[in-house]
Amino acid sequence: MTDQLVYLNGNFVPKTEATISPMDRGFLFGDGIYEVIPCYEGKPVGLALHLARMRQGLAALDINYSLNINEWSSNIDALIAPFDGDASVYLHVSRGTDNKRYHAYPSNIQPTVFAYAFPIAPSQPLDKDEAKVFKVKTQEDLRWKRCHIKSTSLLGNVMHFQQGQDSGVDEVLLYNQQNELTEAAACNLYVVKNNVVATPPLDNQILPGITRHILLHAMRDSGVLEVQERVIKKDELTVADEVWISSSSKEVAAVVEVDGKLIGDGRPGDAWLVAQSIYNDYKFKM
Ligand SMILES: Cc1ncc(COP(=O)(O)O)c(C=O)c1O
């Protein structure tokens, strides 16, 4: 798709013609907030939740941009229209373009707003043999202490993810200096033991994932799996029945190997099948 239209500052323009200034603070400082909104069969998942999280991030950075759900619903429809139903929209708001590089927030600049759509894999198949599975390694979490803000400053996450790629795994599970699991480089995480699903509590060490939010609500509301939001020690991985990760583009995915050791029999477990199935039931309702 050479002439794909993207959204830039209120206009739909060909991707090859969309330009921003090198003085944009998103470029110079990573001074911005982003969202990735998955759409399956042409329908966005959790749009209101994604926009609410973005508003919180913009408020945390004092970026003055008002997100209107009706406007963004129709922008998203327009962006995903050329794709075959399954696409994600990347939405990025930076503080805007200044005339000098200076750390303090300038006043009176217009935020830069950019969005584009890209194709994604169809929803996870409800089949243990067909579902995409992940091999991971663990690493000490060396990112910053504001991981709850979905900032475009992602270098900490990028470096963890790349170190995973360099060692031949698909993701990296992170733990803090107390050996407590936080999240993955680009996902939230879950440890399942005796049909109880544990996930780290929301705090400044993790992103409040929208997939996590929908999944926890779905599991609690349907009552099929017990949920605990609690501190999880890294050692719990070694005795887990199942380990999962979640994100907008992966939905709920089974981790089958951690640091070279199989989880369970090295296939997605029964609880994963239940979780992804009820996630599907709830994902368009929230
Ligand atoms: C660090 C991190 N944690 C968690 C998530 C999952 O968030 P969501 O479910 O909203 O995609 C992401 C998604 O990009 C992420 O980058």
Side-chain angles (χ1 to χ4, degrees), residues 34-36 50 53 143 150 154 157 183-188 207-212 246-249:
Y34 78 105
E35 278 295 329
V36 178
H50 281 281
R53 180 172 66 185
R143 302 171 303 160
K150 199 165 171 67
L154 279 176
N157 301 60
E183 60 179 344
C187 297
N188 291 115
L207 185 78
I210 303 303
T211 319
R212 175 189 184 280
S246 76
S247 77
S248 291
S249 51

Side-chain angles (χ1 to χ4, degrees), residues 6 33 61 76 88 100 113 139 159 181 187 194 197 212 268:
V6 302
I33 295 290
L61 298 193
I76 288 168
S88 275
K100 59 182 181 306
V113 184
Q139 277 191 332
M159 289 176 75
L181 295 171
C187 297
N194 300 328
V197 182
R212 175 189 184 280

Side-chain angles (χ1 to χ4, degrees), residues 86-285:
D86 296 332
S88 275
V89 170
Y90 175 82
L91 167 57
H92 173 134
V93 180
S94 81
R95 190 178 306 280
T97 299
D98 199 1
N99 56 15
K100 59 182 181 306
R101 181 186 175 280
Y102 176 57
H103 286 53
Y105 300 166
S107 47
N108 302 323
I109 58 169
Q110 288 294 316
T112 302
V113 184
F114 169 67
Y116 86 111
F118 55 96
I120 53 172
S123 190
Q124 275 274 49
L126 292 175
D127 179 328
K128 291 184 187 181
D129 297 316
E130 298 290 319
K132 176 149 175 47
V133 296
F134 286 77
K135 294 182 180 178
V136 306
K137 66 186 275 185
T138 56
Q139 277 191 332
E140 186 183 339
D141 194 339
L142 296 178
R143 302 171 303 160
W144 66 341
K145 294 181 181 164
R146 293 179 172 135
C147 293
H148 58 299
I149 298 175
K150 199 165 171 67
S151 160
T152 56
S153 311
L154 279 176
L155 198 51
N157 301 60
V158 166
M159 289 176 75
H160 278 304
F161 194 83
Q162 185 59 41
Q163 285 156 7
Q165 297 284 298
D166 292 344
S167 22
V169 297
D170 313 300
E171 246 293 10
V172 178
L173 303 187
L174 304 170
Y175 54 89
N176 64 18
Q177 289 187 333
Q178 289 71 47
N179 285 320
E180 300 162 355
L181 295 171
T182 57
E183 60 179 344
C187 297
N188 291 115
L189 70 81
Y190 310 79
V191 173
V192 185
K193 184 76 187 167
N194 300 328
N195 277 327
V196 178
V197 182
T199 194
L202 294 183
D203 61 16
N204 65 326
Q205 301 179 90
I206 71 168
L207 185 78
I210 303 303
T211 319
R212 175 189 184 280
H213 179 88
I214 297 172
L215 176 64
L216 294 193
H217 175 80
M219 290 192 291
R220 286 181 170 133
D221 197 52
S222 61
V224 287
L225 288 166
E226 189 183 328
V227 180
Q228 293 176 347
E229 288 176 82
R230 64 166 175 85
V231 169
I232 304 174
K233 288 285 189 184
K234 179 181 174 245
D235 288 353
E236 295 184 49
L237 288 171
T238 54
V239 293
D241 297 331
E242 299 184 28
V243 176
W244 313 331
I245 52 180
S246 76
S247 77
S248 291
S249 51
K250 297 178 192 71
E251 303 196 300
V252 188
V255 170
V256 295
E257 195 181 297
V258 178
D259 294 331
K261 292 205 192 102
L262 291 187
I263 299 292
D265 62 0
R267 294 172 68 233
D270 293 337
W272 168 79
L273 197 54
V274 171
Q276 174 61 34
S277 163
I278 45 174
Y279 176 75
N280 275 341
D281 294 344
Y282 280 75
K283 72 183 180 193
F284 292 122
K285 295 184 189 155

Side-chain angles (χ1 to χ4, degrees), residues 54-76:
M54 190 165 216
R55 283 189 200 101
Q56 278 172 9
L58 292 168
L61 298 193
D62 263 329
I63 293 178
N64 188 12
Y65 173 70
S66 145
L67 275 166
N68 178 292
I69 190 157
N70 295 326
E71 181 191 346
W72 275 98
S73 180
S74 70
N75 288 344
I76 288 168

